[in-house]
């Protein structure tokens, strides 16, 4: 068996550089995550274990107070439940509204595809706060929507939408709908039309072809879209603040108040970590059951 010629020093150097290249490409992103995510997360974890009897003026002592977590959860568990319920309903509504829209853009819109995509992301050109304030006007008691619902009998003469759970969920759905549509579009746009033609040749009805071909192949987009919608919606507090009342406050409102109003940093940090842990656990279970671990 012939022996391969030995590598020259220049070839060895190039091979070493090619091995280092992937790590060099990862270095900027890794440094960014370390400085702006890992370090603040560690600091937040330490803050959650401070002595709750401390204050911003007198300082906090590190007493490894794990009871902060139990106290925060026992005091505000209804807000956690409300946040998850609101985010879950909003995610479901986004999926029901976003899937037909993404399918129409990817499969039906030919010349107007780019225009429709611009229309989907157009809300991002405006501040999140401004968009939510606009919904406050739309759902006002004297607005067109409430007046129409009163006229058709869905709402009573003194019925209202603003300052209710419905308003908060509608605001979440509107604000996070693009996060659902874009991953669905990316998944459906890659769909091979020949597979649908094959299903039609095998006498599959449109409904059966959708259930057996389109939906399974678009599941990575469904999973990615639901995650991108549910996670920020669960931690949102703007919609509950502007479209609801304290009865509709989510856990984000409690964390905001604890950090900025009550200045109770240990409790605020504990609430933040509990929310993070709940969402991570739910995401892990959801992705495992969906069988699409590759989307992460």
């Amino acid at each position: 068996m012939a022996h391969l010629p030995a590598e020259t020093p220049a070839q060895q150097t190039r091979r070493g550089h090619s091995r280092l290249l992937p790590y060099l490409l990862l270095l900027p992103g890794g440094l960014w995550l370390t400085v702006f995510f890992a370090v603040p997360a560690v600091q937040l974890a330490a803050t959650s274990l401070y002595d709750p009897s401390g204050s911003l003026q007198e300082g906090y002592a590190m007493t490894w107070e794990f009871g902060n977590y139990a106290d925060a959860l026992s005091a505000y568990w209804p807000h956690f439940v409300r946040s998850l319920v609101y985010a879950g309903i909003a995610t479901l509504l986004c999926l029901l509204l976003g899937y037909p829209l993404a399918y129409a853009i990817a499969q039906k819109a030919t010349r107007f595809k780019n225009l429709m995509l611009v229309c989907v992301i157009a809300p991002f050109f405006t501040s999140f706060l401004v968009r939510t304030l606009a919904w406050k006007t739309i759902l006002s008691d004297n607005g067109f929507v409430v007046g129409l619902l009163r006229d058709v009998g869905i709402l009573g003469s003194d019925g209202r939408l603003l300052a209710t759970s419905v308003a908060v969920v509608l605001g979440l759905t509107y604000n996070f709908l693009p996060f659902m549509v874009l991953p669905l579009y990316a998944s459906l746009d890659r769909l091979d039309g020949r597979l649908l033609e094959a299903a039609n040749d095998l006498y599959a009805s449109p409904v059966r072809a959708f259930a057996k071909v389109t939906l399974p192949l678009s599941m990575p987009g469904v999973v990615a879209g639901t995650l991108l919608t549910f996670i920020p919606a669960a931690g949102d507090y703007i919609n509950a603040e502007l479209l609801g009342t304290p009865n509709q406050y989510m856990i984000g409102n409690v964390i905001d108040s604890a950090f900025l109003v009550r200045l109770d940093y240990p409790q605020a940090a504990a609430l933040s970590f509990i929310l993070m842990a709940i969402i991570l656990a739910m995401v892990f279970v959801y992705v495992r059951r969906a069988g699409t671990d590759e989307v992460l």
Side-chain angles (χ1 to χ4, degrees), residues 9-44:
Q11 290 176 327
Q12 293 177 353
T13 301
R14 285 196 295 269
R15 182 184 293 273
H17 290 168
S18 64
R19 291 175 179 175
L20 289 175
L21 182 60
Y23 300 100
L24 293 176
L25 293 175
L26 289 173
L27 184 60
L31 289 175
W32 180 274
L33 290 175
T34 300
V35 174
F36 295 105
F37 177 75
V39 173
V42 172
Q43 180 60 42
L44 192 66

Side-chain angles (χ1 to χ4, degrees), residues 86-87 89-91 93-95 97-98 119-139 162 165-183 225-244 250:
Y86 285 178
I89 296 174
T91 301
L93 291 175
C94 286
L95 180 60
L97 296 172
C119 291
V120 170
I121 65 175
F124 290 148
F125 299 160
T126 307
S127 166
F128 187 95
L129 182 61
V130 172
R131 299 200 305 267
T132 308
L133 286 172
W135 269 91
K136 189 173 183 178
T137 302
I138 293 171
L139 301 177
L162 195 62
S165 298
V166 174
V168 177
V169 172
L170 289 177
L172 291 171
T173 303
Y174 167 76
N175 280 305
F176 295 107
L177 181 60
F179 293 96
M180 178 68 74
V181 174
L182 294 179
T226 50
L227 292 179
L228 289 174
T229 303
F230 179 83
I231 293 174
D236 181 73
Y237 67 95
I238 296 296
N239 287 276
E241 180 75 28
L242 297 180
L243 303 178
M250 301 166 66

Side-chain angles (χ1 to χ4, degrees), residues 151-171:
D151 292 339
V152 299
I154 295 178
L155 289 177
S157 58
D158 58 346
R160 61 187 321 220
L161 289 178
L162 195 62
T164 65
S165 298
V166 174
V168 177
V169 172
L170 289 177

Side-chain angles (χ1 to χ4, degrees), residues 162-275:
L162 195 62
T164 65
S165 298
V166 174
V168 177
V169 172
L170 289 177
L172 291 171
T173 303
Y174 167 76
N175 280 305
F176 295 107
L177 181 60
F179 293 96
M180 178 68 74
V181 174
L182 294 179
L184 287 172
Y185 164 78
S187 183
L188 290 167
D189 192 50
R190 295 194 300 266
L191 186 64
D192 191 345
R194 293 174 297 180
L195 297 175
L196 295 176
E197 293 177 1
N200 294 330
D201 292 340
L202 295 172
Y203 304 102
S205 65
V207 175
R208 187 170 180 82
F210 173 81
K212 295 296 184 180
V213 178
T214 304
L215 184 59
L217 293 177
S218 65
M219 278 307 295
V222 172
V223 174
T226 50
L227 292 179
L228 289 174
T229 303
F230 179 83
I231 293 174
D236 181 73
Y237 67 95
I238 296 296
N239 287 276
E241 180 75 28
L242 297 180
L243 303 178
T245 68
N247 293 330
Q248 285 81 41
Y249 275 5
M250 301 166 66
I251 193 61
N253 301 93
V254 177
I255 295 174
D256 174 69
S257 176
F259 267 122
L260 302 179
V261 179
R262 294 186 283 112
L263 302 180
D264 190 348
Y265 289 178
Q267 185 182 76
L271 288 169
S272 301
F273 261 86
I274 292 173
L275 179 62

